[in-house]
Amino acid sequence: MTDIDEVFTAGGPLARALPDYSPRRAQRRMATCVADAIAACRSLLVEAGTGTGKTFAYLVPALLSGRRVIISTGTRTLQDQLYSKDLPLVAAAIGRPARVALLKGRANYLCRQRLFAVTAQRALAGFEGGSLAHIERWAAVTKTGDLAEVPELTDAGSVRGAITSTRENCLGQRCAEWARCHVVAARRAANDADLVIVNHHLLLADLALKEDGFGDLLGTADAVILDEAHQLPDLVTQFFGVEASSRQVEHLLADARTELARVGGDATASTALASVDAALGQVRETLPLRAGSHSVARMAWDEVPVSLETALDVLADALEALHSALAAQGGEAALAHCATRAARLGEVLARVSHAREDEAARTIERDGRGFTLSMLPFDVAPRFRSIIDARPCAWIFTSATLSVGEDFGHFATRLGVADAETLQIDSPFDFERQGLLYLPPAMPDPSAPEYLAAVLGEALPLIEAARGGAFVLFTSHRALARAAEMIAARAEGPLPYPLLVQGTAPREQLLREFRAQGNAVLLGTASFWEGVDVKGEALRLVVIEKLPFASPEDPLVKARIAHLNAVGGNPFRDYQLPEAALALKQGVGRLIRSEEDFGVVAICDPRLVSRGYGRVLRASLPALTVTRERDEASRFLTRRAA
Ligand code: SF4
């Protein structure tokens, strides 16, 4: 019988299957703890530093357990990698074939009902890279309905939206295509599998019962393993929140008009549609514009004028009236569904509009054409906890960043899992030897007007010493744009290295170019602080502009701070500082991704040293050798670059 220790030994199955495999005690320790947690149905939080090999450390015990396990990832990339690469490899190595299913969100599967509706109308013109006939031919033969089989169909394309379903427009069991529905078939396959690979969005949609009508994915799971778990507190907050947008109302109106035209609706329904249209227009007119801006602007609820609240109430009432009018049209499935959507939207609007101050952060975001209302609860722990309690199985949360220092309290409290066991596994990398942490000695205060120029004054000589191969990470889009302008306008001329600026191309494309160029300089904000894995010499310098404290001007942050003050908490200690520590750890973690990597992290913000809380932040960072001398950092880079 194969056991954990045997799998991870020097002559064991993994070593025999993988020529590069080297046994790591930390990996074996994590695997043993995961196996124990699965066997005992316990909750476990594992922080596994980069290079631990945590994927194998949970896949092996999951396969050996012989139980039904759900594995959830933060990104589709990791989901695909587990399904097509890691799992088959581990299963073959340890001789434990399993029935594995990859389950994606409904937006990835063809909706047969909607395709038929589109085909009937012949309303779509100009398909990207293909034609309606092409999609129809594929639809006639596909077994899975997975749109990844039609690579011409881009993510952003309007066609994709027209032939996939949303929770709002799916007809569920009333659908004539239910028996042949690809979403239903994918979920059935998942229910029959031993190991199901999902992503957090899909899992949470299930948990938050936002995928009603498709059964409970977790119903019979013995263990749930959540990788990239540091993303969960924010994702859970989003899922337990509510959102309604002008676009949803517009889509509802368009669908209802089409259906009414098809079945021949009465005058009451037409009047109700016109009322919603008028009420929507009134909300748009009442939306205040931020000074001098026609772009996206998010407002906290306490900035919302009374006239807007009134207009939203009128819209909610009009949607309720539309619901009644559509429901009275004879019960035809598609029309009845529009009625339900109208009722739901009306309810959400009313809920956001009349929520209690201490319950949730409410915002309204204007994006030129329309608006989005959202409500995010302050405390999701009790609700998430009740979900866990209702599903007595092993819950394993793992990531490279779950703790602040050695304390898992912040993460555990936000999710209500404070009683879970914890395990912290340090990275096996030799950070002291592989990297330098450079803290510039004479930086101005981050609020000073000359601060950004001082950051570039530190960054550019280091980029020169490293001969490119650098990430410069900013905490705001404004600072990033200004820095890009300043670099372009340098008296010395343009940078002698390829300059990649976030926003000029999709993230994945920028990363591909960065890896391929080998000497590029990438300027990025939040989306490059985490989830980016550039191994090898392409990345040898990371410059961090400022400590990643969430802006207190952000309406959501502002509301959370006000709430913590109101309930007698300490917003800085309990919220802003731990969040910044986790984000900083992520940002610094971009540099050393393998035993061969080397480089310098420069954190330009002087508060890391000058303020008392800097200690908490420094305690969360890997044990890089620290220097305050730029020459030493430059020499390190020059030596390694040479
Ligand atoms: S059940 Fe929903 S997703 Fe499936 S075909 Fe019908 S409308 Fe589309």
Side-chain angles (χ1 to χ4, degrees):
M1 162 114 176
T2 318
D3 71 9
I4 297 279
D5 282 339
E6 189 194 326
V7 171
F8 291 98
T9 52
L14 285 179
R16 288 197 296 273
L18 297 165
D20 293 340
Y21 181 77
S22 56
R24 283 168 261 183
R25 199 183 311 153
Q27 188 181 39
R28 196 168 67 215
R29 180 152 168 253
M30 175 172 167
T32 306
C33 290
V34 171
D36 291 347
I38 295 176
C41 279
R42 281 198 309 259
S43 297
L44 174 68
L45 314 181
V46 190
E47 181 178 82
T50 319
T52 305
K54 71 172 156 42
T55 310
F56 285 15
Y58 63 71
L59 287 181
V60 169
L63 284 163
L64 288 180
S65 72
R67 302 193 183 187
R68 184 171 144 75
V69 180
I70 311 275
I71 297 175
S72 183
T73 66
T75 55
R76 238 195 288 171
T77 317
L78 180 58
Q79 200 187 358
D80 285 336
Q81 183 193 312
L82 286 179
Y83 181 71
S84 49
K85 191 168 154 240
D86 297 340
L87 242 171
L89 201 149
V90 175
I94 65 174
R96 287 289 180 120
R99 286 173 303 170
V100 180
L102 174 73
L103 186 61
K104 300 181 181 176
R106 61 162 74 239
N108 295 281
Y109 298 98
L110 170 75
C111 167
R112 297 174 58 85
Q113 197 274 340
R114 285 177 64 78
L115 176 66
F116 290 155
V118 166
T119 311
Q121 290 171 24
R122 292 277 162 195
L124 285 176
F127 267 50
E128 307 104 350
S131 65
L132 185 54
H134 175 63
I135 303 279
E136 286 177 293
R137 277 198 300 278
W138 166 76
V141 294
T142 178
K143 288 199 168 57
T144 65
D146 188 339
L147 292 171
E149 294 172 10
V150 194
E152 306 86 22
L153 219 52
T154 59
D155 257 2
S158 59
V159 174
R160 202 178 169 105
I163 59 166
T164 55
S165 64
T166 61
R167 177 184 169 250
E168 281 76 29
N169 61 30
C170 170
L171 302 178
Q173 295 191 24
R174 287 172 304 172
C175 176
E177 291 299 312
W178 176 262
R180 301 179 64 203
C181 171
H182 293 300
V183 181
V184 176
R187 294 187 71 96
R188 279 210 190 105
N191 281 332
D192 292 341
D194 306 313
L195 242 148
V196 186
I197 303 172
V198 297
N199 57 50
H200 297 338
H201 278 98
L202 182 56
L203 184 76
L204 290 171
D206 260 68
L207 293 176
L209 294 182
K210 289 188 175 177
E211 275 296 340
D212 41 345
F214 285 100
D216 185 355
L217 184 65
L218 285 180
T220 55
D222 297 308
V224 184
I225 298 173
L226 301 115
D227 199 346
E228 298 174 324
H230 62 279
Q231 299 178 1
L232 279 168
D234 284 346
L235 287 174
V236 171
T237 304
Q238 269 170 34
F239 270 87
F240 289 159
V242 290
E243 195 175 279
S245 69
S246 51
R247 189 169 304 176
Q248 282 172 305
V249 180
E250 283 161 8
H251 287 174
L252 167 66
L253 291 178
D255 289 351
R257 273 195 193 104
T258 308
E259 294 306 325
L260 283 171
R262 195 169 55 79
V263 300
D266 64 18
T268 328
S270 305
T271 310
L273 277 176
S275 300
V276 172
D277 213 358
L280 183 62
Q282 187 57 38
V283 174
R284 280 208 192 93
E285 274 179 31
T286 325
L287 278 172
L289 272 179
R290 279 275 159 93
S293 161
H294 286 265
S295 61
V296 175
R298 194 158 52 166
M299 264 189 303
W301 207 257
D302 56 9
E303 298 171 295
V304 167
V306 176
S307 55
L308 178 54
E309 277 196 61
T310 310
L312 287 168
D313 282 347
V314 173
L315 178 58
D317 290 346
L319 283 162
E320 179 46 40
L322 177 63
H323 158 244
S324 306
L326 294 177
Q329 299 300 307
E332 195 274 334
L335 214 45
H337 195 69
C338 287
T340 311
R341 285 163 64 191
R344 272 191 196 146
L345 274 170
E347 273 166 29
V348 171
L349 286 176
R351 231 182 114 193
V352 177
S353 211
H354 299 287
R356 287 195 330 264
E357 283 297 321
D358 61 350
E359 189 186 341
R362 292 176 290 162
T363 59
I364 181 162
E365 192 168 304
R366 177 186 182 121
D367 64 5
R369 279 187 61 253
F371 63 88
T372 303
L373 292 182
S374 75
M375 183 167 97
L376 296 176
F378 290 125
D379 184 8
V380 292
R383 218 164 140 198
F384 191 71
R385 178 76 218 189
S386 68
I387 281 171
I388 289 188
D389 289 343
R391 293 163 177 87
C393 65
W395 285 81
I396 295 155
F397 302 82
T398 184
S399 162
T401 45
L402 290 185
S403 74
V404 177
E406 291 176 359
D407 184 3
F408 287 77
H410 180 64
F411 176 85
T413 309
R414 280 193 73 187
L415 286 186
V417 291
D419 56 342
E421 276 180 39
T422 59
L423 174 68
Q424 193 170 28
I425 293 183
D426 289 336
S427 165
F429 301 153
D430 185 352
F431 286 108
E432 235 177 301
R433 187 185 58 80
Q434 291 179 257
L436 266 188
L437 171 61
Y438 168 52
L439 306 175
M443 290 294 291
D445 188 86
S447 60
E450 68 276 19
Y451 183 72
L452 192 57
V455 169
L456 293 182
E458 292 292 343
L460 292 170
L462 292 175
I463 290 171
E464 193 49 53
R467 297 182 200 161
F471 273 10
V472 188
L473 300 177
F474 297 88
T475 53
S476 72
H477 289 277
R478 195 191 302 163
L480 175 136
R482 183 80 195 104
E485 281 168 19
M486 288 162 80
I487 291 174
R490 281 186 342 144
E492 304 87 325
L495 269 189
Y497 310 105
L499 183 66
L500 305 171
V501 182
Q502 181 181 335
T504 56
R507 179 176 178 268
E508 287 311 313
Q509 186 184 326
L510 289 175
L511 281 171
R512 263 198 310 277
E513 280 181 38
F514 186 86
R515 288 190 185 98
Q517 299 277 4
N519 66 344
V521 176
L522 186 144
L523 313 186
T525 61
S527 64
F528 287 91
W529 283 68
E530 68 160 276
V532 173
D533 192 24
V534 181
K535 284 197 181 79
E537 291 189 17
L539 180 61
R540 42 201 180 262
L541 170 66
V542 173
V543 179
I544 289 177
E545 173 229 359
K546 263 188 202 172
L547 296 177
F549 285 113
S551 163
E553 295 310 313
D554 180 293
L556 283 174
V557 178
K558 209 161 138 188
R560 196 172 277 277
I561 291 173
H563 170 69
L564 283 167
N565 277 325
V567 297
N570 179 331
F572 186 73
R573 184 199 61 206
D574 302 339
Y575 166 54
Q576 292 162 285
L577 184 59
E579 291 287 309
L582 291 169
L584 185 65
K585 194 167 170 175
Q586 283 283 351
V588 171
R590 294 315 97 213
L591 183 69
I592 308 288
R593 309 298 298 171
S594 78
E595 269 145 17
E596 285 75 43
D597 282 8
F598 68 90
V600 169
V601 179
I603 302 180
C604 299
D605 195 323
R607 294 174 296 179
L608 188 66
V609 179
S610 63
R611 301 292 174 91
Y613 60 73
R615 241 179 311 117
V616 177
L617 298 173
R618 291 198 304 275
S620 293
L621 300 180
L624 299 158
T625 302
V626 180
T627 180
R628 310 279 334 246
E629 289 177 29
R630 197 205 297 153
D631 281 353
E632 189 182 346
S634 294
R635 274 197 305 276
F636 183 91
L637 287 165
T638 312
R639 207 167 50 235
R640 301 305 298 249

